[in-house]
Amino acid sequence: MSAAAISSSLFEAARLGDPQAIASLLETAQPDIRRYARATCRSSADAEDATQEAMWILFRHVGTIRSLVAFSAWLFSVVRRECLRLARKAGLAPSIDDGEAEALLLSRSEADLRLDVAAAFEALPAHYRDVALMRDVKEMTIDEIAAALGASRQTVKARLHRARALMREYLTR
């Protein structure tokens, strides 16, 4: 995507939540997203699905992107991950094991990884997000989390396990 096609003022207004700027940003980015999805995905149906998902993710997370310079790389990585997820779902791409997932995450720049982790947390349902934030960010014990939420240890452990699985899936797609 040509950064010249998107002015810094448009990007900044969209990042700050201006609905018209967001709509304009989506309209400007959409042809490049679709073109990249068609080149990356295995079928035209997957390309359309990946385009729609990338547009939706952009709409939800435009405020987390810190600079126009990082915008294109971030957006194309979203499309690439979505194409890979669709291929895996169709059984055409192998599933990623934990070692490969770790290598994939370590290959990303720190800025991209921060954005992706923040987006992964945000994508979690609230009851999973709360447990994951308490354990992995605030470093609370299982017992402390259970007491804070008024839940059993087993419930907290199950939610934490599911939250981490959802985040792993989000980060490796």
Side-chain angles (χ1 to χ4, degrees), residues 63-81:
T64 64
I65 305 167
R66 296 294 175 225
S67 73
L68 181 58
V69 175
F71 176 68
S72 294
W74 175 82
L75 191 54
F76 288 140
S77 71
V78 168
V79 174
R80 187 174 46 254
R81 283 193 309 269

Side-chain angles (χ1 to χ4, degrees), residues 55-104:
M55 298 287 284
W56 178 242
I57 290 171
L58 172 58
F59 174 76
R60 287 189 342 233
H61 300 290
V62 70
T64 64
I65 305 167
R66 296 294 175 225
S67 73
L68 181 58
V69 175
F71 176 68
S72 294
W74 175 82
L75 191 54
F76 288 140
S77 71
V78 168
V79 174
R80 187 174 46 254
R81 283 193 309 269
E82 187 60 22
C83 288
L84 185 57
R85 186 190 67 78
L86 291 167
R88 272 194 216 112
K89 185 177 179 182
L92 299 175
S95 294
I96 296 177
D97 67 22
D98 287 341
E100 291 171 319
E102 184 176 343
L104 178 65

Side-chain angles (χ1 to χ4, degrees), residues 7 18 24 32-33 36-38 49 54-55 86 96 100 114 118 125 128 131-132 139 157 169 171-172:
S7 71
D18 178 0
S24 182
D32 291 326
I33 294 169
Y36 184 72
R38 284 185 181 148
D49 289 346
M55 298 287 284
L86 291 167
I96 296 177
E100 291 171 319
R114 283 177 193 243
Y128 293 143
V131 170
E139 298 180 348
K157 290 168 87 174
E169 179 183 332
L171 291 168
T172 58

Side-chain angles (χ1 to χ4, degrees), residues 116-127:
D116 290 343
V117 169
F121 268 112
E122 189 173 306
L124 289 173
H127 61 286

Side-chain angles (χ1 to χ4, degrees), residues 133-154:
L133 286 171
M134 288 178 185
R135 180 71 182 125
D136 296 333
V137 176
K138 295 180 180 178
E139 298 180 348
M140 294 170 69
T141 66
I142 298 296
D143 291 328
E144 291 171 335
I145 297 168
L149 297 177
S152 69
R153 281 179 51 84
Q154 291 78 14

Side-chain angles (χ1 to χ4, degrees), residues 16-38:
L16 294 174
D18 178 0
Q20 288 180 322
I22 292 172
S24 182
L25 180 67
L26 290 169
E27 186 178 320
T28 303
Q30 190 264 348
D32 291 326
I33 294 169
R34 178 169 277 123
R35 191 173 21 262
Y36 184 72
R38 284 185 181 148

